[in-house]
Amino acid sequence: MWGVLRQKVCAGGLPGMYIRPAVAAFRNYSSSAKQMMVREALNSALDEEMSADHRVFLMGEEVGEYQGAYKISKGLLEKYGPERVLDTPITEAGFTGIGVGAAYYGLRPVVEFMTFNFSMQAIDHIINSAAKSNYMSAGQISVPIVFRGPNGAAAGVGAQHSQCYAAWYGSCPGLKVLSPYSSEDARGLLKAAIRDPDPVVFLENELLYGESFPVSDEVLDSSFCLPIGKAKIEREGKDVTITAYSKMVGFALKAAEMLSKEGISAEVINLRSIRPLDRSTINASVRKTNRLVTVEEGFPQHGVGAEICTSVIEESFGYLDAPVERIAGADVPMPYAANLERMAVPQVEDIVRAAKRACYRSVPMAATA
Amino acid sequence: MATLLLGRSRSAIQNLLKRTALLSALTHSPPPSSSAASHVGCRYRAPPSQGNRSLAVLFPFSRHESTKAQIQLQQTHLAEDDDTQLDEVLDFPGGKVAFTSEMRFIPESAEKRVPCYRVLNDDGVPMPYSNYVKVSKEMAVKMYSAMVTLQTMDNVFYELQRQGRISFYLTSMGEEAVNIASAAALSADDVILPQYREPGVLLWRGFTLQEFANQLMGNEADFGKGKQMPIHYGSNKHNYITISSPIATQLPQAAGVAYALKMEGGKACAVTYFGDGASSEGDFHAAMNFAAVMEAPVIFICRNNGWAISTPIEEQFRSDGVVVKGRAYGIRSIRVDGNDTLAVYSAVRTAREMAVNENRPVLIEALTYRAGHHSTSDDSTKYRSIDEIEYWKKARNPVNRFKRWLESNEWWGDEDELKLRQSVKKELLQAIQVAEKAQKPALEELFRDVYDQVPSNLEGQERQLRETIKKHIGDYPSDVPL
């Protein structure tokens, strides 16, 4: 029944159908569950979707012989051959264009960017061709393509390898933008992305690839799929809502632990989907807790947090007991030196302090967090 | 291998020495004496690990002290033919290359420009010894009629924009032959990825004048439901991908479509059109390179019409046009007279067979001239002489040229001409009338097709909009059907 329910939600995309018992059920499984690395989760999702649909194929730099720059596509070339796993020359504009063309014709490409920073060289194809074609052709041309790769900061890779693109892609109608955190997210969302008829930007995180998470049998099933546009409440709470995506979910959970020791019960929401944003879950949570802290790694101006803040003000202004706190990366290109890098990215302590400020447990400081 | 080295080493060394003498002269260092030569000759037979120093002496010009270079030199082998002892071959990643001791830069341009394939001369008379794919009377008349229709359509729609009845238009004047003849040479299954100056291809495939007019007016019958500006037509059923404004993006996409077609195993190819200006885009490079590597059945048709808005060819590139770029990517190419209907037809027909049967990309550069302005937003008399424009419009007109050939075969006459032009004009004016009177797309179209399924936030926005319209009906245009 659980599997069936999940399939129904996935296929119909029914909004607002969030089932509370799901969280409890998952918690029950976690104690005896298998551990799976995010890398394995992505690999298995790709493998299963490629085996289920012969139109799905993978392309990108180093995805074949090298087994993937981050080993996400390990073993796929051997299993599916060079027609389904294509090593491309170094031209993001080129292979993204080719992917879009193949999608126009009816194939289902998964285009890998070594990092989303390089996707900027192909961004015209992503936005002007993939995102807008269905609309511009009034439904005649659909583009069932997935763009995936690591997004955001890694460790010590400097300005041109650390930018978070959630806000950029998240602002474009025509695209769907997902960002997984755990292995369950990675599997379920990537499968959903590949099966979706619209173009999807799938923002992974390099540092999460090696992290392990417990996965239930449901998650391991090949028909497993998560709905696009639904956030997940990772930890229930009643005093303050903390929204986050990707790696910051882990930080937010740690912050919630620290806060609980000080008597603040934080509710952590894993957005999972940047576009469409699950405004109903976020607003329902804020209406319960009356306080909001948004967390993201990307630049603050025009970021995901800014959109969440506006959504809450538009729909739940009367429920807010404190100004919305926004935690984001520093408004500078990412520095390289380890000490500077640490200062440029949100840390757990920043989230704790922000939550306390939202709970009026400390005096707000000007500018710096 | 060792015996081979021993057996041939003496002559090898003599060759190497000859080279050394030559190269030493170039680098102004004293050539090794003959005694040294035989001395080194003995040393040459020694295993590589001991020979390092001697070889370093032998090739004073060599900056590579690394063993790798030296081993490579030791492993050079002679060509089979003893007459060409100098034809030594070197293998680097990518294959074997012949040596040359002559330092010669490949000139930036060939002595002669790549010749242009044509069948009919400017007066429509077949050139002597021309070989081309024969066309039947039926096909020839059909092509000519389509060219006249395209010409008429362009004239009428251009005027329509000037009258303020449509917001924008872009003509293909002067390029009727490229449009129609190339379309005629393809099959209906071939997928077209156009730039924007190829409405003739869509016309050939059966897009009606009414459908063109609907798209320009953006009414409810428009396939694009009024979501695109004029001339951005597209049609699934005609295998013609919707026009997209950014230049050259269709090129790598065409390689992608071709790849999909190849995987499908059918006998169709992808065909993409672009102008001389588009060949400067990065996408052109990526597409050509990829298509060659992937062995994709795609035909790249470049309409080299001399102008990219106001940028003339001399400022666009310094190569001999676009055709020479094909070889740089390992792609078979041909330069064809774009104003010669029969030449374009033959070249595209043949290219298609190559693409489909051999799974390879082909590049066709059609030399032509953009007789009209870039678009209705342009006045090309600002950057080119009116004489030049008139010359190409009158003396080098592709439609007239083909007509003369038809007339010489007695397949066409003045009466046919009159009848055709009158009927096309009439059909056009009627189509425009119908299109203008037709309703605009309904309000719901604003929110459809952003995604496959309408998301709840857009449903909500539509509801909000309708409520607002109800409350303030006077503030909204009355010609937008709710």
Coordinates of all heavy atoms in Angstrom, one line a residue, chain A residues 15 54 57 82-84 86 88-89 91 93-95 97-98 100-102 104-105 107 124-125 128-129 131 134-141 172-176 197-198 275, chain B residues 191 193 223-225 227-228 234-237 241-242 244 246 249 252-253 255-257 259-264 283 286 289-290 294 445-453 456:
Chain A
P15 N -1.2 18.1 -5.7 CA -0.6 19.0 -4.7 C -1.3 18.9 -3.4 O -2.5 18.5 -3.3 CB -0.9 20.4 -5.4 CG -2.1 20.2 -6.2 CD -2.1 18.7 -6.6
H54 N 14.4 2.6 -22.8 CA 15.6 2.6 -23.7 C 15.9 3.9 -24.3 O 16.9 4.1 -25.0 CB 15.4 1.6 -24.9 CG 14.3 1.9 -25.8 ND1 13.0 1.6 -25.5 CD2 14.3 2.7 -26.9 CE1 12.2 2.1 -26.5 NE2 13.0 2.8 -27.4
F57 N 19.3 8.2 -22.0 CA 20.8 8.0 -22.2 C 21.5 9.1 -21.5 O 20.9 10.2 -21.2 CB 21.1 7.9 -23.7 CG 21.0 9.2 -24.4 CD1 22.2 10.0 -24.6 CD2 19.8 9.7 -24.9 CE1 22.1 11.2 -25.3 CE2 19.7 10.9 -25.6 CZ 20.9 11.6 -25.8
P82 N 28.4 2.3 -25.5 CA 28.7 3.7 -25.8 C 27.5 4.5 -26.5 O 27.6 5.7 -26.7 CB 29.9 3.6 -26.8 CG 29.8 2.2 -27.4 CD 29.2 1.4 -26.3
E83 N 26.5 3.8 -26.9 CA 25.4 4.5 -27.5 C 24.5 5.1 -26.5 O 23.8 6.0 -26.7 CB 24.5 3.5 -28.4 CG 25.3 3.0 -29.6 CD 24.4 3.0 -30.8 OE1 23.2 2.6 -30.7 OE2 24.9 3.5 -31.8
R84 N 24.5 4.5 -25.2 CA 23.7 5.1 -24.2 C 24.4 5.9 -23.2 O 23.9 6.5 -22.3 CB 22.9 3.9 -23.5 CG 22.2 3.0 -24.3 CD 20.7 3.2 -24.6 NE 20.0 3.6 -23.4 CZ 19.3 2.7 -22.6 NH1 19.4 1.4 -22.8 NH2 18.6 3.2 -21.6
L86 N 27.5 8.5 -23.3 CA 28.3 9.2 -24.3 C 29.4 10.1 -23.6 O 29.0 11.0 -22.8 CB 27.5 10.1 -25.2 CG 26.9 9.5 -26.4 CD1 25.7 8.7 -26.0 CD2 26.5 10.6 -27.3
T88 N 31.6 13.1 -24.0 CA 31.5 14.2 -24.9 C 32.8 15.0 -25.0 O 33.5 15.0 -24.0 CB 30.4 15.2 -24.5 OG1 30.8 15.7 -23.3 CG2 29.1 14.5 -24.4
P89 N 33.1 15.6 -26.1 CA 34.2 16.6 -26.1 C 33.8 17.8 -25.2 O 32.7 17.9 -24.7 CB 34.2 17.1 -27.6 CG 33.4 16.1 -28.3 CD 32.5 15.5 -27.4
T91 N 32.6 20.7 -24.7 CA 31.9 21.9 -25.1 C 30.5 21.8 -24.5 O 29.6 21.1 -25.0 CB 31.9 22.0 -26.6 OG1 30.8 22.9 -27.0 CG2 31.7 20.7 -27.3
A93 N 28.2 24.0 -24.3 CA 27.2 24.5 -25.3 C 26.9 23.4 -26.3 O 25.7 23.2 -26.6 CB 27.7 25.7 -26.0
G94 N 27.9 22.7 -26.7 CA 27.7 21.7 -27.8 C 26.8 20.6 -27.2 O 25.8 20.3 -27.8
F95 N 27.3 19.9 -26.2 CA 26.5 18.7 -25.8 C 25.2 19.1 -25.2 O 24.3 18.2 -25.2 CB 27.4 17.7 -25.0 CG 27.9 18.2 -23.6 CD1 27.0 18.3 -22.5 CD2 29.2 18.4 -23.4 CE1 27.4 18.7 -21.3 CE2 29.7 18.8 -22.2 CZ 28.8 18.9 -21.1
G97 N 23.3 21.5 -26.3 CA 22.5 21.7 -27.5 C 22.1 20.3 -28.1 O 21.0 20.1 -28.5
I98 N 23.1 19.4 -28.2 CA 22.8 18.1 -28.7 C 21.7 17.4 -27.9 O 20.8 16.8 -28.4 CB 24.1 17.3 -28.8 CG1 24.9 17.8 -29.9 CG2 23.8 15.8 -29.0 CD1 26.2 17.2 -30.1
V100 N 19.4 18.7 -26.1 CA 18.1 19.4 -26.3 C 17.5 18.9 -27.6 O 16.4 18.5 -27.7 CB 18.2 20.9 -26.3 CG1 16.9 21.5 -26.7 CG2 18.6 21.4 -24.9
G101 N 18.4 18.8 -28.6 CA 17.9 18.3 -29.9 C 17.4 16.9 -29.8 O 16.4 16.6 -30.4
A102 N 18.2 16.1 -29.1 CA 17.7 14.7 -29.0 C 16.4 14.6 -28.3 O 15.5 13.8 -28.6 CB 18.8 13.9 -28.2
Y104 N 14.1 17.0 -28.3 CA 13.1 17.4 -29.2 C 12.6 16.2 -30.0 O 11.4 16.1 -30.3 CB 13.7 18.4 -30.3 CG 13.9 19.8 -29.8 CD1 14.5 20.7 -30.7 CD2 13.5 20.3 -28.6 CE1 14.7 22.0 -30.4 CE2 13.7 21.6 -28.3 CZ 14.3 22.5 -29.1 OH 14.5 23.8 -28.8
Y105 N 13.5 15.4 -30.4 CA 13.1 14.2 -31.2 C 12.4 13.1 -30.4 O 11.8 12.2 -31.0 CB 14.3 13.7 -32.0 CG 13.8 12.8 -33.1 CD1 13.1 13.2 -34.2 CD2 14.0 11.4 -33.0 CE1 12.6 12.4 -35.2 CE2 13.5 10.5 -33.9 CZ 12.8 11.0 -35.0 OH 12.3 10.2 -36.0
L107 N 14.0 11.4 -27.5 CA 14.9 10.7 -26.6 C 14.8 11.4 -25.2 O 14.3 12.5 -25.1 CB 16.3 10.6 -27.0 CG 16.6 9.8 -28.3 CD1 18.0 9.8 -28.6 CD2 16.0 8.4 -28.2
D124 N 22.2 29.2 -22.4 CA 21.3 29.6 -23.5 C 20.4 28.4 -23.9 O 19.2 28.5 -24.0 CB 22.0 30.2 -24.7 CG 21.0 30.6 -25.8 OD1 20.4 31.7 -25.7 OD2 20.7 29.8 -26.7
H125 N 21.1 27.3 -24.1 CA 20.3 26.1 -24.5 C 19.4 25.7 -23.4 O 18.3 25.2 -23.6 CB 21.3 24.9 -24.8 CG 21.9 25.0 -26.1 ND1 21.2 24.9 -27.3 CD2 23.1 25.3 -26.5 CE1 22.0 25.0 -28.3 NE2 23.2 25.3 -27.9
N128 N 16.7 29.2 -23.1 CA 16.0 29.6 -24.3 C 15.5 28.4 -25.1 O 14.5 28.5 -25.9 CB 16.9 30.5 -25.2 CG 16.8 31.9 -24.8 OD1 15.8 32.3 -24.3 ND2 17.9 32.7 -25.1
S129 N 16.2 27.3 -25.1 CA 15.7 26.1 -25.8 C 14.9 25.2 -24.9 O 13.8 24.9 -25.2 CB 16.9 25.4 -26.5 OG 17.4 26.3 -27.5
A131 N 13.9 25.2 -21.6 CA 12.8 25.7 -20.7 C 11.7 26.3 -21.5 O 10.5 26.1 -21.1 CB 13.4 26.8 -19.7
N134 N 8.5 24.3 -24.9 CA 7.1 23.8 -24.8 C 6.1 24.9 -24.9 O 5.1 24.8 -25.6 CB 6.9 23.0 -23.5 CG 5.8 22.0 -23.6 OD1 5.6 21.2 -24.5 ND2 4.8 22.2 -22.6
Y135 N 6.5 26.0 -24.3 CA 5.6 27.1 -24.3 C 5.5 27.8 -25.7 O 4.5 28.1 -26.2 CB 6.0 28.2 -23.2 CG 5.1 29.3 -23.0 CD1 3.9 29.1 -22.3 CD2 5.3 30.6 -23.4 CE1 3.0 30.1 -22.0 CE2 4.4 31.6 -23.2 CZ 3.3 31.4 -22.5 OH 2.4 32.4 -22.2
M136 N 6.7 28.1 -26.2 CA 6.8 28.8 -27.5 C 6.2 28.0 -28.6 O 5.7 28.6 -29.6 CB 8.2 29.1 -27.8 CG 8.8 30.1 -26.9 SD 10.4 30.8 -27.5 CE 11.4 29.4 -27.8
S137 N 6.1 26.7 -28.5 CA 5.6 25.9 -29.6 C 4.1 25.5 -29.2 O 3.5 24.7 -29.9 CB 6.4 24.6 -29.8 OG 6.3 23.8 -28.7
A138 N 3.6 26.0 -28.2 CA 2.3 25.6 -27.7 C 2.1 24.1 -27.6 O 1.2 23.6 -28.0 CB 1.2 26.2 -28.6
G139 N 3.1 23.5 -26.9 CA 3.0 22.1 -26.6 C 3.4 21.2 -27.7 O 3.4 19.9 -27.5
Q140 N 3.9 21.7 -28.9 CA 4.3 20.8 -29.9 C 5.6 20.2 -29.7 O 5.9 19.1 -30.1 CB 4.3 21.6 -31.3 CG 3.0 22.0 -31.8 CD 3.1 22.6 -33.2 OE1 3.1 21.9 -34.2 NE2 3.2 23.9 -33.2
I141 N 6.5 20.9 -29.0 CA 7.8 20.4 -28.7 C 8.0 20.3 -27.2 O 8.1 21.2 -26.5 CB 8.9 21.4 -29.2 CG1 8.7 21.7 -30.7 CG2 10.3 20.8 -29.0 CD1 9.7 22.7 -31.2
C172 N 13.3 30.5 -13.4 CA 12.8 30.3 -14.8 C 11.6 29.5 -15.0 O 11.6 28.3 -14.7 CB 13.9 29.7 -15.6 SG 15.1 30.9 -16.1
P173 N 10.5 30.1 -15.4 CA 9.3 29.2 -15.7 C 9.6 28.3 -16.9 O 10.4 28.7 -17.8 CB 8.2 30.2 -16.2 CG 8.9 31.5 -16.3 CD 10.3 31.5 -15.8
G174 N 9.2 27.1 -16.8 CA 9.4 26.1 -17.8 C 10.4 25.1 -17.3 O 10.5 23.9 -17.9
L175 N 11.2 25.4 -16.3 CA 12.1 24.5 -15.7 C 11.6 23.9 -14.4 O 10.8 24.6 -13.8 CB 13.5 25.1 -15.4 CG 14.4 25.5 -16.5 CD1 15.7 26.2 -15.9 CD2 14.9 24.3 -17.3
K176 N 12.0 22.7 -14.1 CA 11.7 22.3 -12.7 C 13.1 22.1 -12.1 O 14.1 21.7 -12.8 CB 11.0 20.9 -12.8 CG 9.6 21.1 -13.2 CD 8.8 19.8 -13.2 CE 7.4 20.1 -13.6 NZ 6.6 18.9 -14.0
P197 N 8.1 14.8 -18.1 CA 8.2 15.3 -19.5 C 8.7 16.7 -19.6 O 9.0 17.1 -20.7 CB 6.7 15.2 -19.9 CG 5.9 15.3 -18.7 CD 6.7 14.7 -17.6
D198 N 9.0 17.4 -18.5 CA 9.5 18.7 -18.6 C 11.0 18.7 -18.3 O 11.5 17.8 -17.7 CB 8.8 19.6 -17.5 CG 7.3 19.7 -17.8 OD1 6.9 20.0 -19.0 OD2 6.5 19.5 -16.9
R275 N 12.0 24.6 -7.6 CA 10.9 25.0 -8.4 C 10.2 23.8 -8.9 O 10.8 22.9 -9.6 CB 11.4 25.8 -9.6 CG 10.3 26.2 -10.6 CD 10.8 27.0 -11.8 NE 10.6 28.4 -11.6 CZ 9.5 29.1 -11.9 NH1 8.5 28.5 -12.5 NH2 9.4 30.4 -11.7
Chain B
V191 N 14.0 15.6 -40.5 CA 13.6 16.7 -39.5 C 14.4 17.9 -39.8 O 15.6 18.0 -39.9 CB 14.0 16.2 -38.0 CG1 13.5 17.2 -37.0 CG2 13.3 14.8 -37.8
L193 N 15.7 21.7 -38.8 CA 15.9 22.6 -37.7 C 16.4 23.9 -38.4 O 17.6 24.1 -38.7 CB 17.0 22.1 -36.8 CG 16.5 21.0 -35.9 CD1 17.0 19.6 -36.5 CD2 17.0 21.1 -34.5
F223 N -0.6 27.5 -34.8 CA -0.2 26.3 -34.1 C 0.6 26.7 -32.8 O 0.6 25.9 -31.9 CB 0.9 25.6 -35.0 CG 0.2 24.8 -36.1 CD1 -1.1 25.1 -36.5 CD2 1.0 23.9 -36.8 CE1 -1.6 24.4 -37.6 CE2 0.4 23.2 -37.9 CZ -0.9 23.4 -38.3
G224 N 1.1 27.9 -32.8 CA 1.9 28.3 -31.6 C 1.0 29.1 -30.6 O 1.5 29.6 -29.6
K225 N -0.3 29.1 -30.9 CA -1.3 29.8 -30.0 C -0.8 31.2 -29.5 O -1.0 31.6 -28.4 CB -1.5 28.9 -28.7 CG -2.1 27.5 -29.0 CD -3.6 27.6 -29.2 CE -4.2 26.3 -29.5 NZ -4.1 25.9 -30.9
K227 N 2.0 32.5 -29.0 CA 3.0 32.6 -28.0 C 4.3 33.0 -28.6 O 5.3 33.3 -27.8 CB 3.2 31.3 -27.2 CG 1.9 30.9 -26.5 CD 2.0 29.8 -25.6 CE 0.7 29.1 -25.4 NZ 0.5 28.4 -24.2
Q228 N 4.4 33.1 -29.9 CA 5.7 33.5 -30.5 C 5.5 34.7 -31.4 O 4.4 34.8 -32.0 CB 6.2 32.3 -31.3 CG 6.9 31.2 -30.5 CD 8.4 31.3 -30.7 OE1 9.0 32.4 -30.5 NE2 9.1 30.2 -31.0
G234 N 6.3 26.8 -36.7 CA 6.9 25.5 -36.5 C 5.7 24.5 -36.6 O 4.6 24.9 -36.4
S235 N 6.0 23.3 -36.9 CA 4.9 22.4 -37.1 C 5.4 21.0 -36.9 O 6.3 20.5 -37.7 CB 4.3 22.6 -38.5 OG 3.4 21.5 -38.7
N236 N 4.9 20.3 -35.9 CA 5.2 18.9 -35.6 C 5.0 18.0 -36.9 O 5.8 17.3 -37.2 CB 4.3 18.4 -34.6 CG 5.0 18.3 -33.3 OD1 6.1 18.7 -33.2 ND2 4.3 17.7 -32.3
K237 N 3.8 18.2 -37.4 CA 3.4 17.2 -38.4 C 4.2 17.4 -39.7 O 4.2 16.5 -40.5 CB 1.8 17.3 -38.7 CG 1.4 18.6 -39.3 CD -0.1 18.5 -39.5 CE -0.6 19.7 -40.3 NZ -2.0 20.1 -40.2
I241 N 11.0 22.0 -36.8 CA 11.1 22.5 -35.5 C 10.8 24.0 -35.4 O 11.3 24.8 -36.2 CB 12.5 22.2 -34.9 CG1 12.8 20.7 -35.0 CG2 12.6 22.7 -33.5 CD1 12.3 19.9 -33.8
T242 N 10.1 24.4 -34.4 CA 9.7 25.8 -34.2 C 11.0 26.7 -34.2 O 11.9 26.4 -33.5 CB 8.9 26.0 -32.9 OG1 7.9 25.1 -32.9 CG2 8.4 27.4 -32.8
S244 N 13.6 29.4 -33.4 CA 14.1 29.9 -32.1 C 15.1 31.1 -32.5 O 16.0 30.9 -33.3 CB 14.8 28.8 -31.4 OG 15.5 29.3 -30.3
P246 N 17.7 32.8 -30.9 CA 19.2 32.8 -30.7 C 19.9 32.1 -31.9 O 19.5 31.0 -32.3 CB 19.4 32.1 -29.4 CG 18.1 32.3 -28.7 CD 17.0 32.2 -29.7
T249 N 21.8 28.1 -32.3 CA 21.5 27.1 -31.3 C 21.0 25.8 -32.0 O 21.1 24.7 -31.4 CB 20.5 27.6 -30.3 OG1 19.3 28.1 -31.0 CG2 21.1 28.7 -29.4
P252 N 23.9 22.4 -32.8 CA 24.1 21.2 -32.0 C 22.8 20.4 -31.8 O 22.9 19.2 -31.7 CB 24.7 21.8 -30.7 CG 24.4 23.2 -30.7 CD 24.2 23.7 -32.1
Q253 N 21.7 21.2 -31.8 CA 20.4 20.4 -31.6 C 20.2 19.5 -32.8 O 19.7 18.4 -32.6 CB 19.3 21.4 -31.4 CG 19.3 22.2 -30.1 CD 18.4 23.4 -30.0 OE1 17.7 23.6 -30.9 NE2 18.5 24.1 -29.0
A255 N 22.5 18.0 -34.5 CA 23.3 16.9 -34.3 C 22.7 15.9 -33.3 O 22.7 14.7 -33.5 CB 24.7 17.3 -33.8
G256 N 22.0 16.5 -32.3 CA 21.3 15.6 -31.3 C 20.1 14.9 -32.0 O 19.9 13.7 -31.7
V257 N 19.4 15.6 -32.8 CA 18.3 15.0 -33.5 C 18.8 13.8 -34.4 O 18.2 12.7 -34.5 CB 17.5 16.0 -34.3 CG1 16.4 15.3 -35.2 CG2 16.7 17.0 -33.4
Y259 N 21.4 12.2 -34.1 CA 21.9 11.1 -33.2 C 20.7 10.2 -32.9 O 20.7 9.0 -32.9 CB 22.6 11.6 -32.0 CG 23.1 10.4 -31.2 CD1 24.3 9.8 -31.6 CD2 22.5 10.0 -30.0 CE1 24.8 8.8 -30.8 CE2 23.0 9.0 -29.3 CZ 24.2 8.3 -29.7 OH 24.7 7.3 -28.9
A260 N 19.6 10.9 -32.5 CA 18.3 10.1 -32.1 C 17.8 9.4 -33.3 O 17.4 8.2 -33.2 CB 17.3 11.1 -31.6
L261 N 17.9 10.0 -34.5 CA 17.4 9.3 -35.7 C 18.3 8.0 -36.0 O 17.8 7.0 -36.4 CB 17.5 10.2 -36.9 CG 16.4 11.3 -37.0 CD1 16.8 12.4 -38.0 CD2 15.1 10.7 -37.3
K262 N 19.6 8.2 -35.8 CA 20.5 7.1 -36.0 C 20.2 5.9 -35.1 O 20.1 4.8 -35.5 CB 22.0 7.6 -35.8 CG 23.0 6.5 -36.2 CD 24.4 7.1 -36.3 CE 25.2 6.8 -35.0 NZ 26.6 6.8 -35.3
M263 N 19.9 6.3 -33.8 CA 19.6 5.3 -32.8 C 18.3 4.6 -33.2 O 18.1 3.4 -32.9 CB 19.5 5.9 -31.4 CG 20.8 6.1 -30.9 SD 21.0 6.4 -29.1 CE 19.7 5.6 -28.3
E264 N 17.4 5.3 -33.8 CA 16.2 4.7 -34.2 C 16.3 3.7 -35.3 O 15.5 2.8 -35.5 CB 15.2 5.9 -34.7 CG 13.8 5.6 -34.5 CD 13.0 6.8 -35.1 OE1 13.2 7.2 -36.2 OE2 12.1 7.2 -34.3
D283 N 28.4 27.5 -31.1 CA 27.6 26.4 -31.3 C 27.9 25.7 -32.7 O 27.7 24.5 -32.8 CB 26.1 26.8 -31.3 CG 25.5 26.7 -29.9 OD1 26.2 26.2 -29.0 OD2 24.4 27.3 -29.7
A286 N 30.9 23.5 -32.1 CA 30.5 22.3 -31.3 C 29.7 21.3 -32.2 O 29.9 20.1 -32.1 CB 29.7 22.7 -30.1
N289 N 31.8 19.6 -34.9 CA 32.8 18.7 -34.3 C 32.1 17.4 -33.8 O 32.5 16.3 -34.1 CB 33.5 19.4 -33.1 CG 34.7 18.6 -32.6 OD1 35.4 18.0 -33.4 ND2 34.9 18.7 -31.3
F290 N 31.0 17.6 -33.1 CA 30.2 16.5 -32.5 C 29.6 15.6 -33.6 O 29.7 14.4 -33.5 CB 29.1 17.1 -31.7 CG 29.3 17.1 -30.3 CD1 29.8 18.2 -29.6 CD2 29.1 15.9 -29.6 CE1 30.0 18.2 -28.3 CE2 29.3 15.9 -28.2 CZ 29.8 17.0 -27.6
M294 N 30.3 11.8 -33.7 CA 29.2 10.9 -33.4 C 28.7 10.2 -34.7 O 27.9 9.3 -34.6 CB 28.0 11.6 -32.8 CG 28.3 12.2 -31.4 SD 26.8 12.7 -30.6 CE 26.0 13.6 -31.8
E445 N -4.6 30.2 -22.6 CA -3.3 29.9 -23.3 C -2.1 30.6 -22.7 O -1.0 30.1 -22.8 CB -3.4 30.3 -24.8 CG -4.3 29.4 -25.6 CD -3.8 27.9 -25.6 OE1 -2.6 27.7 -25.3 OE2 -4.7 27.1 -25.8
L446 N -2.4 31.7 -21.9 CA -1.3 32.4 -21.3 C -0.6 31.4 -20.3 O 0.6 31.5 -20.1 CB -1.8 33.6 -20.5 CG -0.8 34.5 -19.8 CD1 0.2 35.1 -20.7 CD2 -1.5 35.6 -19.0
F447 N -1.4 30.6 -19.7 CA -0.8 29.7 -18.6 C -0.5 28.3 -19.1 O 0.0 27.5 -18.3 CB -1.8 29.7 -17.5 CG -2.1 31.1 -16.9 CD1 -3.2 31.8 -17.3 CD2 -1.2 31.7 -16.1 CE1 -3.5 33.0 -16.8 CE2 -1.4 33.0 -15.6 CZ -2.6 33.6 -15.9
R448 N -0.9 27.9 -20.3 CA -0.8 26.5 -20.7 C 0.7 26.3 -21.3 O 1.3 27.2 -21.7 CB -1.7 26.2 -21.9 CG -3.2 26.2 -21.6 CD -3.7 25.0 -20.9 NE -4.9 25.2 -20.3 CZ -5.1 25.9 -19.1 NH1 -4.0 26.4 -18.5 NH2 -6.2 26.1 -18.6
D449 N 1.1 25.1 -21.2 CA 2.3 24.6 -21.9 C 3.6 25.2 -21.3 O 4.7 25.0 -21.9 CB 2.3 24.9 -23.4 CG 1.1 24.3 -24.1 OD1 0.9 23.1 -23.8 OD2 0.5 25.0 -24.9
V450 N 3.5 25.8 -20.1 CA 4.8 26.2 -19.4 C 5.4 24.8 -19.0 O 6.6 24.6 -19.2 CB 4.6 27.0 -18.2 CG1 5.9 27.4 -17.5 CG2 3.8 28.3 -18.6
Y451 N 4.6 24.0 -18.5 CA 5.0 22.6 -18.2 C 4.0 21.7 -18.9 O 3.0 22.1 -19.5 CB 5.0 22.3 -16.7 CG 5.9 23.2 -16.0 CD1 5.5 24.3 -15.2 CD2 7.3 22.9 -15.9 CE1 6.3 25.1 -14.5 CE2 8.1 23.7 -15.2 CZ 7.7 24.8 -14.5 OH 8.6 25.5 -13.8
D452 N 4.3 20.4 -18.9 CA 3.4 19.4 -19.5 C 2.0 19.5 -18.8 O 1.0 19.5 -19.5 CB 4.0 18.0 -19.2 CG 3.3 16.9 -20.0 OD1 3.3 17.0 -21.3 OD2 2.7 16.1 -19.4
Q453 N 2.0 19.5 -17.5 CA 0.7 19.7 -16.8 C 0.7 21.1 -16.1 O 1.8 21.5 -15.7 CB 0.6 18.7 -15.6 CG 0.8 17.2 -16.0 CD -0.3 16.7 -16.8 OE1 -1.5 17.2 -16.6 NE2 -0.1 15.8 -17.7
S456 N -0.2 24.0 -9.9 CA -1.2 24.6 -9.1 C -1.0 26.1 -9.0 O -1.9 26.9 -8.9 CB -1.3 24.0 -7.8 OG 0.0 24.1 -7.1

